Amino acid sequence: MFQFNGFNMMFPDHSRPFSTTYKCYSVSMLPGNERQDVENGGKIIMPPSALDQLTRLNVVYPMLFKLTNGSINRSTHAGVLEFVADEGKIYIPYWMMHNLLLEEGDMVEIESVSIPVATYSKFQPQSVEFLDITNPKAVLENCLRNFACLTTGDLIAIKYNNTTYELSVLETKPGPAVTIIECDMNVEFAPPVGYTEPERKEKEEEPMTIDPTELMPEPTGFVAFKGEGTRLDGKKKKDSGANDAPQIQRQNYVRGIPDYDHPFGLLRFDRSIRKAEQNDSKPEESKFEEFQGEGFSLKKNRK
């Protein structure tokens, strides 16, 4: 019981919080090549000594940190990407420095935290140009892969098609700070800043420009008094409105009645020829037959 091997069993070594202070610099000050993967995400770069200290403290993975600007008591949350920074310095994205109101070389407090997994978040774009994106949810999901945490009130920046869009985190559930690593999160968007709903104008019913009777076919067959007359003396006939040919009377336009019981998705190709229904109760109308009249002589026959 008093052996050293049983000491850890009697007093288990629980994880202790990591808390320290570093000088803060933007990613553009990081030596070496430009690191766009850090600038377009929500993770920071810490010194190697921080990894050694975190390992001895048995910090729970994934390593998440709370960054606080003590002068104004403003904080945010972030994950860690690498431990390659110079001792006493950390490098964070510029948008994170802007949220914490930090300048190059200012002191920032870092503390290891454990926050719940996100289930819901709501964002508000800061420009109307965000509406030009065809599928904003898919773009946001792809960009959030470089983030580890979301904090209510933060103004994050994502890059798409060489354009940087700023999004304000309006709400997160189940808490004001959540982790988005391996989570199933519902996302909603609020109207962008400066967006106004377009006025809906009621459409006025426009009169039909085409008379339906003009769409009816012209009568076929013999049409009475459709010809033109000529003078016996060879002179041209005088044009007058009284002698104009009568207008051809078209059939009355009858609007069809749709089949309201037609099943959805069914196409019918009806090629059958239907004969016109004849009503036996009504007598058939007599058809006009030309030159069937009787002639009379102007000269009386002598008896």
Side-chain angles (χ1 to χ4, degrees):
M1 179 176 177
F2 296 97
Q3 294 179 357
F4 289 99
N5 293 336
F7 182 78
N8 291 333
M9 298 178 61
M10 296 175 58
F11 303 98
D13 187 10
H14 296 288
S15 60
R16 290 171 292 172
F18 169 86
S19 180
T20 185
T21 304
Y22 292 103
K23 287 186 177 181
C24 176
Y25 294 92
S26 62
V27 179
S28 59
M29 303 294 291
L30 182 65
N33 298 329
E34 186 177 4
R35 298 292 300 274
Q36 287 295 332
D37 56 337
V38 184
E39 189 63 47
N40 298 330
K43 299 179 181 180
I44 63 177
I45 296 180
M46 301 178 68
S49 60
L51 177 60
D52 184 29
Q53 188 175 357
L54 288 167
T55 304
R56 288 186 281 105
L57 294 175
N58 295 329
V59 175
V60 180
Y61 287 85
M63 296 182 181
L64 304 176
F65 302 93
K66 179 180 180 181
L67 285 70
T68 305
N69 184 356
S71 59
I72 59 174
N73 196 20
R74 194 162 184 171
S75 61
T76 186
H77 296 78
V80 59
L81 182 63
E82 295 177 357
F83 294 91
V84 295
D86 296 334
E87 291 298 331
K89 299 180 182 179
I90 62 170
Y91 297 92
I92 67 176
Y94 179 75
W95 65 265
M96 197 175 294
M97 292 188 64
H98 182 72
N99 287 336
L100 296 175
L101 302 179
L102 293 171
E103 299 292 339
E104 301 289 347
D106 287 350
M107 303 300 293
V108 60
E109 300 175 6
I110 295 185
E111 179 184 359
S112 62
V113 292
S114 178
I115 54 181
V117 179
T119 58
Y120 170 83
S121 60
K122 187 174 183 179
F123 300 88
Q124 183 183 30
Q126 299 300 297
S127 63
V128 185
E129 288 75 11
F130 187 77
L131 298 177
D132 297 336
I133 301 177
T134 305
N135 193 347
K137 284 190 176 182
V139 173
L140 181 62
E141 180 182 357
N142 186 40
C143 295
L144 288 181
R145 294 177 181 177
N146 297 325
F147 288 73
C149 307
L150 289 176
T151 307
T152 301
D154 275 0
L155 190 67
I156 66 173
I158 62 174
K159 192 171 183 180
Y160 176 70
N161 281 349
N162 297 326
T163 304
T164 302
Y165 300 95
E166 292 184 342
L167 302 175
S168 175
V169 184
L170 298 181
E171 184 181 1
T172 56
K173 292 181 181 180
V178 292
T179 173
I180 57 175
I181 299 176
E182 296 182 358
C183 70
D184 187 8
M185 179 177 63
N186 296 324
V187 177
E188 288 186 2
F189 290 99
V193 176
Y195 173 76
T196 56
E197 288 285 346
E199 297 180 358
R200 297 182 179 180
K201 297 182 180 179
E202 296 183 357
K203 295 184 179 180
E204 299 179 356
E205 295 184 0
E206 299 180 355
M208 297 184 65
T209 57
I210 300 177
D211 189 2
T213 57
E214 297 180 0
L215 302 177
M216 300 299 295
E218 295 185 1
T220 58
F222 177 80
V223 180
F225 308 109
K226 190 178 180 181
E228 297 180 357
T230 56
R231 294 173 59 111
L232 296 177
D233 55 4
K235 294 182 179 180
K236 294 183 178 181
K237 184 180 67 171
K238 295 181 179 180
D239 295 334
S240 61
N243 296 330
D244 290 344
Q247 295 182 354
I248 302 173
Q249 294 183 356
R250 298 174 181 266
Q251 300 178 6
N252 295 330
Y253 174 75
V254 180
R255 185 174 181 179
I257 300 176
D259 184 8
Y260 295 105
D261 296 331
H262 185 81
F264 179 77
L266 177 63
L267 297 178
R268 292 179 179 174
F269 300 93
D270 190 1
R271 296 183 175 86
S272 60
I273 300 176
R274 298 181 181 179
K275 296 181 179 181
E277 296 181 358
Q278 297 179 356
N279 192 354
D280 297 337
S281 62
K282 295 183 179 179
E284 296 183 358
E285 298 180 357
S286 58
K287 297 182 180 180
F288 177 80
E289 296 182 0
E290 60 275 12
F291 307 113
Q292 296 296 324
E294 296 180 359
F296 296 93
S297 176
L298 298 177
K299 185 179 180 180
K300 296 182 179 180
N301 295 328
R302 296 179 181 180
K303 295 183 179 179

